Each structure stands twice: as C-alpha cells, then as structure tokens.
C-alpha cells in the first residue's frame, strides 16, 4: 500500500450550530457504558469505538492514524488529506480497484447522535451545488445517494455520484463517502465496505466542540509516495477520488 499526503481545504462538513458548547474532558465510567449501550444497536457489525475492540492489537493489517484506526490490504491505496491551517490529517481516502471511500470523523454530543441533522445539511449542500441527494435505506440506516456536477481536468462538465453514510457512535460521527462501484450500489462484501465496517474511531477524552473534526495523524513509519501526485483531494461532494 502507498501513502500520499495532500493539502486539503478546511472540511466542508456541517456548520457548527452549537458554538461554545464544548464537550467536557474525561468521562465517568457509568456514562461511557451508557453511551455504548445506547448506540450499539445501530452498528452491531461496526464501525467500532476504541472502548469496544482491541482487534487491531490482535490482528495484523491495521494502520493507526490517531483518531481513526483503519484496516488495510495490499489492494488499497491510502491518501491522507491534510488540513491547510493545522497541518493535521482531516480525512483518509482509501482507493480500491473499482471503488473508494473517504473517512471523516467528528465529535458529537454525549447524549445524542448527529447524523440526522448532518444528513439534511449535506443534502442541502448538494442542492446548492446543482445536484441531487436522495435518502435511501442501507446497512447503517438512512444514507444519501448524491449526484453533483463536477468539472474535469480537461474543462469538460460531468456528474459525480457518491453514496454518503453516517454512523453515530459514543460521542462521535463517522462519515463515509463512497465512490465508484460502491456509490452506485452497496456491496456488503466489497472491500471498501468491509474496511468501513472494521474501522475503529478513537474519540479520546479531550474537550471538543460538537461536529469538530477528530484530528488524524500520519503513522511515523509511513513514507509519502514520491513524485507528482496529480490527484485532486476529495474534500467535497463535487471532488473526484484519485484514479488507480
């Protein structure tokens, strides 16, 4: 697998409508148990919270990005997208031969999930861009099937389909944007779906605003791919995943 680092614009996630409401650092043990119990039914097969699994310590093939621990295979190419201001990782794009998935993790309130609200805002963003966003039922509940206009590198206009999945966990939201074959139709046995399902979110105990992105880091042993990347960061609905 190869790592590529890209400079990314600030995340085009939902605007924070709870400014000033900072999640307190630390958590009581009773609260943590209650959070896990209240949200586990929505994701009986993952993605997982750090407190729920140590699979990455028992099995090979996981890469630790700090806020996300991601299972990988030699078939996947990994692109780490960096926030322009902080220099920290904002998203991970995993590219398979026919599909890709972008992973972004956000802090969430202690008492409730945020995907229902975020989904509405993403749909509105797609509409403002001249595209469409249709709610569909999927493995993790209500998803969005989006089609938005894009401009190709040669200047021609085209459309970009994407399937956006949101999973609420204990004090976090994991958003997966699927491209390629997985955008057109979910494949539970597909490589990128399996990776999304087995991803581990490490929210940590630091104080964070609701909807603030959980920062990512590049593994110390990882070496960025050399040479010009020629790749557009997939930071918004209108961007395209890298070609293989």
């Amino acid at each position: 697998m190869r790592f590529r680092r890209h400079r990314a614009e600030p995340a085009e996630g939902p605007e924070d409508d709870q400014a000033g409401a900072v999640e307190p650092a630390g958590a009581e043990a009773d609260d943590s148990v209650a959070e896990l119990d209240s949200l586990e039914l929505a994701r009986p097969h993952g993605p997982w919270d750090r407190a729920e699994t140590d699979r990455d310590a028992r099995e090979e093939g996981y890469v630790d990005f700090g806020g996300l621990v991601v299972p990988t295979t030699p078939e996947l190419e990994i692109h780490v997208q960096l926030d322009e201001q902080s220099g920290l990782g904002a998203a991970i794009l995993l590219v398979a031969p026919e599909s890709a998935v972008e992973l972004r993790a956000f802090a969430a309130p202690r008492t409730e999930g945020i995907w229902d609200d975020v989904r509405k805002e993403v749909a509105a963003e797609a509409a403002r861009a001249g595209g469409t966003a249709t709610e569909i039922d999927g493995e993790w509940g209500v998803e969005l099937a989006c089609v938005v206009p894009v401009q190709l590198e040669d200047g021609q206009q085209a459309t970009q389909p994407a399937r956006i999945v949101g999973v609420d966990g204990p004090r976090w939201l994991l958003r997966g944007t699927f491209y390629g074959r997985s955008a057109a139709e979910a494949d539970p046995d597909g490589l990128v779906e399996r990776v999304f399902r087995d991803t581990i979110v490490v929210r940590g105990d630091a104080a964070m605003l609701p909807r603030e992105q959980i920062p990512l880091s590049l593994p110390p042993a990882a070496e960025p791919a050399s040479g010009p990347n020629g790749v557009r960061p997939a930071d918004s609905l209108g961007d395209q995943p890298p070609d293989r």
Side-chain angles (χ1 to χ4, degrees), residues 82 113 186:
L82 301 181

Side-chain angles (χ1 to χ4, degrees), residues 9-30:
E9 296 297 325
E12 295 195 12
E15 294 183 358
D16 184 4
D17 59 2
Q18 304 181 51
V22 179
E23 282 290 294
E28 296 294 335
D30 291 345

Side-chain angles (χ1 to χ4, degrees), residues 21 23 45 76 211 224:
E23 282 290 294
H45 308 295
L76 288 172
R211 306 191 186 198

